[in-house]
Amino acid sequence: MSNLYERLGGENAVNAAVELFYRKVLADGRIAQFFDGVDMDQQIAKQKSFLTMAFGGPNNYTGADMRNAHKRLVAKGLNDSHVDAVIENLNYTLRDLGVPEKEVKEVAAIANSVRDDVLNR
Amino acid sequence: MLKFEDRSVELRPGETVLEALERAGIDAPSSCRSGNCQTCLHRAVEGVPPPDSQVGLTQGQKALGFFLPCVCLPTSPLTITRPDNVGARRDAVIRAIEPLAPDVIRLRVDADDFAYRPGQFLELVADGDLRRHYSLASHPEDDPFLEMHIRLHENGRMSRRLGEFKPGDRLHVAGPSGTCFYEGVHEEQRLLLIGAGTGLAPLYGVLRDALKRGHLGPIRLYHGARSRDGLYLDEELKALSRTRAHVDYRPCLLDPNAPAGGDVAATALHAEQDVKDSAIFLCGGENLVKRLKRDFFMRGASMKNIRSDAFTPSG
Ligand SMILES: Cc1cc2nc3c(=O)[nH]c(=O)nc-3n(C[C@H](O)[C@H](O)[C@H](O)COP(=O)(O)OP(=O)(O)OC[C@H]3O[C@@H](n4cnc5c(N)ncnc54)[C@H](O)[C@@H]3O)c2cc1C
Ligand code: HEM
Ligand code: FES
């Protein structure tokens, strides 16, 4: 069996998901404020990094990178409820795209596995 | 094989441009190191970066040689620079400077060898250190000069300086920069151009370029202004939309009593419900650009179809 990223469709799957996902995040009053202020074009590229990572695709992020990327947000109050909300939006996005439930769970598990780094604890 | 500006950089077999820059001690930012986050963005000023190193960039960025060093394994010689490097300053001489409206001037300057795409912006330099960005309304194939539309702010430093200039005076220009130009647009795509004030300058450049390249799809141009004077190309644009059936010019005078705000953003958002397949250009103040970008994206426009320049004040 090929790896998760390949099963999801690789880069094309990321491209198909990224704008859908970003729209959901911006429409979600629980987390939208964390995405204000950053230019939307740049934000789309960061979302692509996020999705590639969550899909189990090629990336070179370390735990320290995740800590750094979210430090500014933790200072603004980022906590477990926000991580839950992001994973929830990720689940909805994948279901919209017709991804089977087994893969949806695997993606959520990868995102969840960096929770402590994201929250800097 | 690889040069960073005027410095030679050793590139070992199998090494990415990012790795080579780092080994040479050149300060190069990076994050994902896998071609997604665009933190490492650089631009090739000579040579052609491999297509694999341009995945995810806009058509405009690709046309200008932008690429991602972390996934770039060059196959031919490259000379690269940082993405915000505007290059050497060039001499420019004022050809004409005249009012378009009570607080807007049209500035035309002559500068040799200044290649650009209509809608890009340049850096105008006066007195050695006073630098401001202005967008280009001229067309390099039709106009022997660079044309800018500049709003004069009462206490603005460059505004005041421009008030004193006359034809024959010398300035400098650098650039061009920006990716708000007609590239990656399908000839039958619907074109939506929205701006306020001198945000019209780049849109006018884009409009002329689109027509010159034979754009076939409908073109709608919204121009917002606070007063009738501010619709400073009204007659010309009205005449244009009479002779070109697919061009629809919509002047928008600010109406403070209108229920939804009465500005050009509110007017355009009300009229443009279906933007999924449109190529969108947004230019003018930061608030206008941010609001329209977000709202059109949320309505289904793809970010790659939204090009914009916000006229952020400097400093
Ligand atoms: C990418 C880009 C493209 C641009 N293209 C154009 C163009 O085509 N035409 C054009 O007229 N301008 C354009 N600008 C804006 C221009 O670069 C200057 O910021 C503007 O001309 C003011 O310069 P100044 O030296 O006269 O005023 P400054 O001395 O810089 O500012 C004086 C005062 O005016 C205020 N101010 C400055 N700009 C604005 C503004 N836009 N709205 C409200 N208050 C303001 C400042 O806050 C300050 O209080 C562009 C800016 C960018 C970033
Ligand atoms: C669930 C686990 C998460 C993962 C795996 C993750 C992953 C990432 C990655 C890979 C980046 C790009 C970093 C870079 O290259 O600069 C990033 C940036 C970002 N993340 Fe997360 N993230 C997670 C949770 C969250 C949450 C919960 C929020 C807020 C609600 C959030 C908001 C952001 C923002 C705003 C950025 C951009 C930061 C910047 O550009 O300054 N992330 N994230
Ligand atoms: S470091 Fe992320 S794209 Fe190059």
Side-chain angles (χ1 to χ4, degrees):
Chain A
M1 196 62 186
S2 57
N3 70 30
L4 174 64
Y5 183 66
E6 284 163 23
R7 271 182 281 138
L8 288 168
E11 199 178 307
N12 290 336
V14 173
N15 289 334
V18 67
E19 295 202 335
L20 271 180
F21 174 69
Y22 191 34
R23 278 191 197 101
K24 288 191 201 300
V25 165
L26 289 180
D28 186 338
R30 296 172 295 176
I31 48 178
Q33 79 270 17
F34 292 106
F35 297 85
D36 275 358
V38 191
D39 180 79
M40 285 179 70
D41 297 277
Q42 284 168 26
Q43 202 53 245
I44 282 278
K46 307 272 182 183
Q47 301 299 337
K48 261 182 147 160
S49 297
F50 164 73
L51 291 175
T52 303
M53 188 178 182
F55 288 10
N59 76 85
N60 298 298
Y61 284 119
T62 62
D65 290 335
M66 284 299 98
R67 287 170 178 271
N68 279 330
H70 300 91
K71 206 166 250 156
R72 191 176 56 84
L73 308 174
V74 172
K76 286 205 290 180
L78 191 76
N79 64 36
D80 277 304
S81 75
H82 304 120
V83 177
D84 293 341
V86 162
I87 295 175
E88 204 179 292
N89 283 299
L90 187 54
N91 291 345
Y92 291 141
T93 305
L94 296 175
R95 286 186 192 128
D96 282 357
L97 291 169
V99 172
E101 215 46 38
K102 174 173 171 287
E103 275 77 17
V104 174
K105 288 217 171 64
E106 284 182 61
V107 170
I110 295 178
N112 199 40
S113 71
V114 294
R115 180 185 291 262
D116 285 350
D117 286 327
V118 164
L119 294 176
N120 278 256
R121 61 188 181 203
Chain B
M1 192 60 188
L2 179 63
K3 280 176 80 179
F4 179 80
E5 295 168 359
D6 45 19
R7 172 173 167 189
S8 257
V9 176
E10 188 202 0
L11 183 69
R12 293 184 182 155
E15 195 174 49
T16 65
V17 169
L18 179 62
E19 286 160 348
L21 292 176
E22 288 172 338
R23 203 163 40 71
I26 293 165
D27 180 28
S30 72
S31 185
C32 73
R33 304 179 79 91
S34 54
N36 286 309
C37 73
Q38 301 183 7
T39 304
C40 63
L41 193 72
H42 270 65
R43 188 162 66 89
V45 287
E46 273 170 50
V48 181
D52 284 355
S53 66
Q54 296 184 307
V55 170
L57 302 183
T58 65
Q59 293 299 327
Q61 287 174 312
K62 290 180 193 176
L64 298 176
F66 284 98
F67 71 102
L68 302 170
C70 71
V71 288
C72 182
L73 298 159
T75 50
S76 57
L78 280 187
T79 302
I80 69 170
T81 187
R82 295 201 169 90
D84 56 355
N85 183 353
V86 294
R89 288 182 183 180
R90 265 157 290 177
D91 295 324
V93 179
I94 297 181
R95 170 191 281 246
I97 180 163
E98 56 212 8
L100 285 171
D103 62 348
V104 179
I105 56 159
R106 178 167 62 202
L107 175 68
R108 288 179 171 167
V109 306
D110 294 314
D112 291 335
D113 298 326
F114 192 90
Y116 67 98
R117 300 287 302 268
Q120 283 196 288
F121 55 90
L122 54 64
E123 189 176 85
L124 190 72
V125 190
D127 311 328
D129 69 335
L130 181 57
R131 302 178 298 156
R132 296 288 186 269
H133 292 127
Y134 295 105
S135 306
L136 291 159
S138 46
H139 198 294
E141 290 162 40
D142 289 341
D143 303 317
F145 47 77
L146 305 173
E147 173 167 320
M148 292 151 265
H149 303 160
I150 302 180
R151 176 167 162 223
L152 301 181
H153 295 273
E154 210 174 328
N155 294 313
R157 283 184 62 204
M158 184 61 94
S159 298
R160 290 213 167 154
R161 199 67 190 90
L162 284 166
E164 301 158 1
F165 277 122
K166 50 189 193 316
D169 285 348
R170 293 179 175 278
L171 293 160
H172 289 96
V173 291
S177 316
T179 55
C180 192
F181 56 87
Y182 187 84
E183 185 72 42
V185 180
H186 190 272
E187 63 178 11
E188 293 186 347
Q189 207 172 355
R190 196 160 165 279
L191 210 56
L192 195 52
L193 314 173
I194 308 174
T198 47
L200 182 59
L203 299 179
Y204 181 71
V206 169
L207 172 65
R208 287 177 62 194
D209 201 26
L211 294 175
K212 197 166 176 69
R213 287 160 186 265
H215 188 83
L216 299 171
I219 303 176
R220 193 170 277 179
L221 166 63
Y222 289 87
H223 182 215
R226 276 177 220 147
S227 66
R228 191 150 285 288
D229 290 335
L231 299 171
Y232 61 85
L233 292 184
D234 202 48
E235 273 174 36
E236 183 181 340
L237 292 168
K238 275 187 178 139
L240 182 75
S241 60
R242 273 194 299 270
T243 54
R244 304 269 198 152
H246 66 316
V247 177
D248 176 7
Y249 162 59
R250 303 211 167 176
C252 301
L253 264 189
L254 182 66
D255 174 8
N257 299 320
D263 65 340
V264 61
T267 307
L269 282 168
H270 180 74
E272 303 296 336
Q273 297 294 333
D274 183 8
V275 290
K276 272 196 189 62
D277 300 315
S278 301
I280 303 172
F281 291 76
L282 310 170
C283 299
E286 214 170 354
N287 291 339
L288 171 99
V289 168
K290 261 182 114 170
R291 172 175 176 202
L292 288 173
K293 201 193 251 192
R294 186 186 158 110
D295 285 9
F296 284 137
F297 174 70
M298 294 307 270
R299 270 182 204 180
S302 169
M303 283 304 286
K304 70 173 192 302
N305 273 324
I306 306 180
R307 299 154 187 82
S308 63
D309 269 332
F311 290 3
T312 315
S314 64

